[in-house]
């Protein structure tokens, strides 16, 4: 008759599950889980979620304004679909320029407004492929490396994309490896079926040889200080005692193995 053998552990397990569920509900209520799977455009809007970009679920990185300019995740723009060629263009933000505006108040104080200004310019698109709500270049490998290196993509997203891309590019090699693995596995099973007894006898013989060699080496080290590798680390008496102890332990293991 089956029954619970550890009630205390079961209670702790269910309490743990309840804590996970409560944490999940709190995260759904207080936060936005879409932030984990979608990109942010240069204004901080979540592509495909926030007002104004609900119909633009993909994040596309514009080409840099200058060759030396650094790409960041905030330089991306939300687009309805990833560009497939260079025939289209997107409105892309320029370099941030800080500004400060002072306005005097009637009571003699001043109000200071500080912010950033970014000019939008049309820049040509480039061929991309959609993956994980992002648009990754398909031809410009320099651009792809800059995106993976310079943007704030999570490490998991980078690893998943690189793994998928590597699998697509090396699918023939992966298929060959899978076929070879299956063939080697079946060949091993065939060898076991054909000569299992001989294989066991061979392994037993090798084990006896190893035990004998171990005992011989330990006894020789105990009799001859020059053959004792422990003599360089311990005193002569300690090294000799360790060698004899090793010989006795090896002989005992050999005896037990032979008896079994």
């Amino acid at each position: 008759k089956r029954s619970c053998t550890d009630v205390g552990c079961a209670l702790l397990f269910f309490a743990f599950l309840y804590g996970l569920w409560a944490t999940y509900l709190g995260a759904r209520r207080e936060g936005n889980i879409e932030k984990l799977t979608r990109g942010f455009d240069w204004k901080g809007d979540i592509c495909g979620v926030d007002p104004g970009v609900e119909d633009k679920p993909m994040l596309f990185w514009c080409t840099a304004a200058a060759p030396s300019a650094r790409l960041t995740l905030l330089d991306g723009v939300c687009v309805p679909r990833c560009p497939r060629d260079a025939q289209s263009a997107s409105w892309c933000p320029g370099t941030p320029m800080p500004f400060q505006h002072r306005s005097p108040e009637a009571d003699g104080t001043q109000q200071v407004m500080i912010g950033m200004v970014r000019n939008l310019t049309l820049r040509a698109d480039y061929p991309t492929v959609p993956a994980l709500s992002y648009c990754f270049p398909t031809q410009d490998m320099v651009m792809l490396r800059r995106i993976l290196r310079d943007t704030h993509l999570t490490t998991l997203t980078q690893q998943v994309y690189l793994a998928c891309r590597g699998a697509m590019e090396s699918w023939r090699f992966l298929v060959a490896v899978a076929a070879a693995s299956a063939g080697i596995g079946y060949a091993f099973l065939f060898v076991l079926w054909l000569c299992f007894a001989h294989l066991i006898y061979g392994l037993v013989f090798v084990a006896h040889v190893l035990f004998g060699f171990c005992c011989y080496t330990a006894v020789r080290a105990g009799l001859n200080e020059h053959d004792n590798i422990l003599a360089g680390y311990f005193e002569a008496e300690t090294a000799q005692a360790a060698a004899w102890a090793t010989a006795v332990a090896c002989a005992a293991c050999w005896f037990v193995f032979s008896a079994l």
Side-chain angles (χ1 to χ4, degrees), residues 2 12 17-18 24-25 44 59 66 73 84 105 139 145 151 174 188 199 204 216 226 232-234 240 248 250:
R2 298 180 181 273
L12 289 176
L17 292 181
Y18 174 78
Y24 171 76
L25 292 180
L59 181 67
L73 189 62
R84 296 292 184 177
E105 299 293 331
Q139 298 178 0
R145 285 193 293 269
T151 61
L174 295 177
F188 178 72
L199 180 63
V204 171
Y216 168 76
H226 297 288
Y233 302 95
F234 304 99
Q240 186 179 24
V248 172
C250 184

Side-chain angles (χ1 to χ4, degrees), residues 129-184:
V129 60
L132 303 174
S133 300
Y134 300 96
C135 300
F136 292 100
T138 57
Q139 298 178 0
D140 191 347
M141 294 298 101
V142 176
M143 182 73 170
L144 176 61
R145 285 193 293 269
R146 292 189 65 188
I147 289 175
L148 295 178
R149 183 186 69 244
D150 297 339
T151 61
H152 302 164
L153 281 176
T154 62
T155 303
L156 177 60
T157 302
Q158 294 183 20
Q159 292 176 350
V160 170
Y161 176 76
L162 293 177
C164 294
R165 184 177 182 85
M168 289 187 296
E169 293 179 349
S170 308
W171 67 270
R172 295 181 180 84
F173 174 75
L174 295 177
V175 170
V177 170
S181 300
I184 293 174

